Amino acid sequence: MPRAWQQSLPAMPPIPPARAWARLSAPPGYDVQWRRLADAALELGLGPEDVAGVGLDVIAGARGWKPATVALYSKVARYGGLALPLPATPEPDPPALDLRPLTQLRGDDPEHLRSAAWCALALRWPAPVGMFRSLRRDQVRATARRLLISSDDGDWAVPGANTAWHAWEAARNRYPALAASPWVLPALRRGPGLESRIGGRLSNQALQVTFTKHARNTVRELRAAAPPSRRDAVEELAAAYRTLSYDSYRRLALAAGAPPVAARGVVRANRATARAAREAG
């Protein structure tokens, strides 16, 4: 376990921020996030003692972090020994949203097809991003009307995703590295890591970035294709998509009636459904 940060004694001068961060070890499994937290703090001249004292509000404001990002880095800071309060993961806002545009095919670009297939699967199989990261092609079997997914948590039938799935499979089979990959959502290009390769397994963070990019591209395409009579509705949808994360997408799918795949997010989805029912009444 990393040692917890200790406040300086009153008679001792504070340790320079860079040295103070260097004295702390990253929590296991969070080396990248810890380094980014430290870099963001150092840009503002903050050491661990300062962050523990004032929280992440100053850093979040400077970096433009969303509430979900603040929740993530608060958790990482606590794992690293900084006594920060852990904010609750924000509820999806709005509590209901049309997610179907994210599942629709609008071209033959492999990156778009991969994202559309992911969203089509997640609309009726709303698994956490970590489960999608580790989902293998041999765990998914296509029938005439639905996809069948086998996982450690059980077997699932997913209707409505066949079109996007077959389009993605056909596209990836044109590239040997993607065709040979065992992953449902493989890397399409090499990343900065030494072990990164085309067809390799993406990280959770890379998948989150992929989803955000897909949502923004969908906004652009909806605007380009919207007739004048639909422009206001499209702008309202675009405003929601601009801040949509995969975690919110998953909770919205659960709130819309998709069966729970894992325990995470189910309570929040139920609260969102109850809140929507109260507001409608």
Side-chain angles (χ1 to χ4, degrees):
M1 291 289 294
R3 59 184 179 182
W5 174 257
Q6 296 180 354
Q7 299 280 344
S8 300
L9 294 175
M12 295 180 62
I15 301 173
R19 282 181 54 199
W21 283 106
R23 291 176 61 178
L24 292 179
S25 300
Y30 291 93
D31 300 79
V32 174
Q33 292 84 354
W34 180 261
R35 186 180 69 249
R36 288 174 177 162
L37 173 61
D39 290 344
L42 287 171
E43 284 184 2
L44 300 175
L46 301 177
E49 182 176 342
D50 304 310
V51 174
V54 304
L56 293 183
D57 290 346
V58 175
I59 300 176
R63 287 293 183 104
W65 285 350
K66 299 176 183 177
T69 305
V70 175
L72 169 64
Y73 282 102
S74 295
K75 178 178 70 174
V76 172
R78 286 167 60 90
Y79 289 170
L82 303 185
L84 283 179
L86 184 61
T89 302
E91 305 290 345
D93 183 21
L97 186 66
D98 183 9
L99 303 176
R100 291 171 298 175
L102 294 165
T103 72
Q104 294 166 354
L105 305 179
R106 295 184 173 86
D108 57 1
D109 176 65
E111 188 170 15
H112 165 72
L113 295 176
R114 182 188 62 181
S115 297
W118 177 18
C119 289
L121 278 169
L123 195 61
R124 298 302 302 168
W125 191 69
V129 68
M131 290 182 67
F132 268 106
R133 175 180 181 251
S134 301
L135 187 65
R136 303 172 67 93
R137 294 172 81 186
D138 58 16
Q139 293 178 267
V140 183
R141 182 168 61 89
T143 67
R145 296 189 176 183
R146 62 195 66 202
L147 300 176
L148 303 179
I149 299 178
S150 299
S151 74
D152 293 339
D153 297 300
D155 297 328
W156 310 86
V158 183
N162 283 44
T163 299
W165 173 261
H166 289 304
W168 164 229
E169 283 287 290
R172 68 183 294 172
N173 285 335
R174 296 198 297 266
Y175 304 93
L178 298 180
S181 173
W183 309 112
V184 166
L185 302 175
L188 302 182
R189 57 185 65 86
R190 288 196 60 184
L194 295 177
E195 297 182 0
S196 177
R197 59 183 179 83
I198 297 174
R201 185 163 63 154
L202 289 170
S203 66
N204 286 10
Q205 183 180 9
L207 282 176
Q208 295 280 12
V209 171
T210 293
F211 180 88
T212 300
K213 182 178 179 181
H214 179 59
R216 291 175 179 174
N217 287 341
T218 301
V219 165
R220 184 174 62 250
E221 291 160 356
L222 287 173
R223 282 175 169 161
S229 60
R230 288 271 303 155
R231 194 155 297 160
D232 290 344
V234 166
E235 284 302 319
E236 184 177 346
L237 192 63
Y241 278 11
R242 277 198 297 269
T243 59
L244 188 66
S245 67
Y246 175 73
D247 289 336
S248 293
Y249 181 94
R250 176 175 176 264
R251 289 195 294 273
L252 286 163
L254 286 165
V261 176
R264 180 183 172 192
V266 174
V267 173
R268 290 192 181 94
N270 290 338
R271 287 205 302 262
T273 303
R275 187 171 77 244
R278 289 195 301 271
E279 292 173 353

